[in-house]
Amino acid sequence: MNILLVGSGGREHALAWKIKQSPNVKNLYIAPGNGGTSKEGQNINIKANDIPELVKFAKENKIDLVVVGPELPLVMGLKDALDKENIPCFGPNSFAAKLEGSKSFAKELMAKTNVPTASFKVFDNYKEALNYIKTQSFPIVIKADGLAAGKGVIIAKTLEEAQKTLTEIMEEKIFGDAGDKVVIEEALEGEEASFLAFCDGKNVKYLPSSQDHKRIGENDTGPNTGGMGAYSPAPILPDKKMEKVGELVIKPIIDYLANQGNPFIGILYAGLMMTKQGPKVLEYNVRFGDPECQPLMLRLKTDIVEIMQACVQGKLDKVNLEIDNQSALCVVLAAKGYPKSYPKNMEIQGLDKLENLKDIIVFHAGTKQENNKYYTCGGRVLNITALGKDLKEAKKKAYQGIEQIYFENMYFRRDIGDKGIEKLTTL
């Protein structure tokens, strides 16, 4: 098989690493890829959002399967364009991708299908939104409706903070057109978990739970990022609860979209808040999480290409998902200053010390390769990911791996996994 993987982050390196292990793969192309993906396949200089060029490349290179990493090309209609050329794509069409592309669409769909979520209102008028928040108790959550690279959700603790947030999103357009509409909802209390499922339009297979660490600072402080680390499983959502939770938050959405003639194919990701009243959906994503994908790829034992083919062919019920019962943990090494402005082009040292290890894998995110050396070129630079018999051991190995790596202005959180480890000691 010839496979084209779209994207350039740590998630895409993890997917490339897993796809390469399949005996069914002849050629793997990554567009545009990064410094690390070049070890798994051939990087192609096409941007992830250049739909015409991606389709052209897929046609010319007889691609048998296109795997889409990030959300933007899906929302823009990459699958729809590939469908016209009869090229199979692992990822939903643009209608189903609105689950992530429009928070108001997702919330209204949850309301229609009785999926548990926070109470909410949608506004496209700044003054009306401003008047509404004056009637609310705090904290409240304000979300830009469109895609904002994981940074469009703000928890406002006071009226002043909420007013400032609305002004920035709707008037100053800090997220561009994504802020034309906002969703304002109640703030839920509890602990978050990431719940991902493979979908073939009708059938679903659940991946084990994971937990992301969104904020830049330790103890979940500071601004939101794309994710500073993740681990799997998340003790807050044990395996024995997966089917029940899936019936609540995944199946109703899959069934509804199938009935609408837009079957969901790919990965459906429910971001959950585990509240005292039970799990409630914070948001849906229509692709693997980044960095949740990284620990999940270490735990997935089944050939991922077989799973993806089954999803595309509507035969997911014939596949058995085999999962390693060990735990996995990923720590993101970032450039100091991220998620705001940060330096680039810093040489990365020590990667050779972690090559060919069985339990510690380095996935590249914001890196580039020049003359056999690696340099930083993004905010999130590397993902040090480790397997261990439990979370404690996986954490220990990941941080031991970090000790071998150096680049100027390197920043990382030291508390990834602590919440899960603490929960395990109290269970």
Side-chain angles (χ1 to χ4, degrees):
M1 284 181 76
N2 295 325
I3 294 182
L4 171 61
L5 171 62
V6 178
S8 62
R11 163 185 52 217
E12 285 74 36
H13 188 184
L15 287 170
W17 174 80
K18 195 72 188 170
I19 288 167
K20 187 190 173 188
Q21 293 169 19
S22 172
N24 300 319
V25 177
K26 183 184 173 191
N27 295 301
L28 172 59
Y29 303 99
I30 308 102
N34 61 40
T37 57
S38 59
K39 291 188 296 185
E40 319 296 348
Q42 187 182 338
N43 286 353
I44 305 298
N45 190 22
I46 303 173
K47 288 182 176 171
N49 61 354
D50 191 341
I51 309 291
E53 283 299 315
L54 290 168
V55 174
K56 184 182 169 201
F57 180 88
K59 278 173 72 181
E60 289 175 355
N61 291 274
K62 298 185 169 54
I63 296 297
D64 300 296
L65 179 66
V66 176
V67 178
V68 188
E71 62 277 15
L72 184 57
L74 293 167
V75 172
M76 289 173 68
L78 176 54
K79 180 185 167 59
D80 311 65
L82 290 164
D83 281 351
K84 286 176 185 165
E85 304 294 339
N86 294 313
I87 299 167
C89 176
F90 180 78
N93 67 14
S94 58
F95 182 85
K98 283 202 286 185
L99 275 169
E100 181 165 3
S102 167
K103 292 188 174 65
S104 59
F105 173 87
K107 292 293 285 192
E108 283 154 8
L109 188 46
M110 286 184 249
K112 273 181 201 162
T113 55
N114 296 314
V115 169
T117 188
S119 60
F120 70 99
K121 284 215 167 195
V122 179
F123 295 92
D124 59 9
N125 180 289
Y126 171 67
K127 282 185 177 164
E128 285 175 16
L130 215 51
N131 288 334
Y132 175 74
I133 59 169
K134 288 173 185 171
T135 68
Q136 298 303 296
S137 52
F138 291 85
I140 57 169
V141 180
I142 301 173
K143 298 178 176 179
D145 181 60
L147 295 178
K151 301 178 187 89
V153 177
I154 289 89
I155 300 166
K157 295 187 176 75
T158 64
L159 177 59
E160 293 73 32
E161 214 177 310
Q163 288 169 326
K164 180 173 178 278
T165 298
L166 280 179
T167 304
E168 286 175 345
I169 294 176
M170 299 188 86
E171 295 284 283
E172 295 168 11
K173 298 286 181 194
I174 60 167
F175 301 123
D177 295 346
D180 288 351
K181 238 189 230 182
V182 294
V183 175
I184 301 176
E185 61 183 46
E186 66 169 324
L188 297 175
E189 282 185 27
E191 193 175 324
E192 289 186 42
S194 302
F195 185 43
L196 284 71
F198 285 105
C199 310
D200 70 359
K202 184 176 75 171
N203 303 293
V204 299
K205 295 272 180 181
Y206 304 119
L207 278 155
S209 63
S210 53
Q211 189 174 90
D212 184 11
H213 297 63
K214 275 281 179 216
R215 294 189 178 255
I216 189 70
E218 281 159 31
N219 302 314
D220 298 325
T221 55
N224 269 342
T225 69
M228 291 302 295
Y231 60 87
S232 174
I236 191 80
L237 179 51
D239 290 350
K240 64 183 183 207
K241 288 188 179 174
M242 303 294 272
E243 286 292 331
K244 194 176 173 188
V245 173
E247 291 293 326
L248 268 179
V249 306
I250 300 286
K251 282 293 280 176
I253 301 293
I254 297 301
D255 293 345
Y256 179 88
L257 289 171
N259 291 336
Q260 293 294 306
N262 285 288
F264 189 101
I265 291 158
I267 283 281
L268 182 57
Y269 163 152
L272 303 177
M273 184 68 85
M274 307 303 286
T275 74
K276 285 177 182 170
Q277 295 79 38
K280 294 190 179 185
V281 176
L282 295 167
E283 64 178 2
Y284 284 110
N285 294 328
V286 296
R287 37 73 192 179
F288 281 102
D290 187 349
E292 294 99 325
C293 181
Q294 289 83 312
L296 288 172
M297 287 304 100
L298 261 64
R299 294 191 66 205
L300 180 64
K301 292 170 91 169
T302 311
D303 183 333
I304 196 167
V305 175
E306 280 184 23
I307 302 169
M308 289 172 168
Q309 274 187 296
C311 288
V312 167
Q313 294 165 359
K315 297 176 181 174
L316 188 57
D317 53 330
K318 306 282 192 290
V319 173
N320 178 39
L321 238 63
E322 199 183 341
I323 304 294
D324 194 317
N325 59 15
Q326 293 187 92
S327 297
L329 184 137
C330 166
V331 182
V332 172
L333 304 186
K336 200 173 181 182
Y338 173 80
K340 294 182 178 169
S341 61
Y342 50 83
K344 293 182 183 177
N345 297 312
M346 298 167 290
E347 187 182 343
I348 303 166
Q349 294 169 338
L351 289 169
D352 54 322
K353 294 174 187 168
L354 296 177
E355 276 181 9
N356 306 317
L357 293 176
K358 195 165 73 89
D359 289 347
I360 304 174
I361 310 286
V362 180
F363 294 122
H364 290 233
T367 71
K368 61 182 178 181
Q369 189 182 22
E370 286 174 7
N371 303 320
N372 292 325
K373 290 183 176 181
Y374 292 97
Y375 297 87
T376 72
C377 68
R380 293 189 293 171
V381 178
L382 296 169
N383 310 147
I384 315 301
T385 312
L387 264 180
K389 67 177 191 292
D390 54 24
L391 278 179
K392 203 170 182 177
E393 186 176 273
K395 177 183 176 178
K396 186 181 174 187
K397 286 183 183 176
Y399 281 96
Q400 281 173 342
I402 290 170
E403 287 171 15
Q404 307 300 319
I405 306 283
Y406 173 79
F407 57 86
E408 205 181 334
N409 297 302
M410 184 169 100
Y411 170 80
F412 58 94
R413 279 180 58 168
R414 295 173 188 276
D415 63 343
I416 304 300
D418 284 359
K419 223 183 266 183
I421 292 164
E422 192 182 327
K423 185 148 250 82
L424 287 172
T425 59
T426 57
L427 286 175

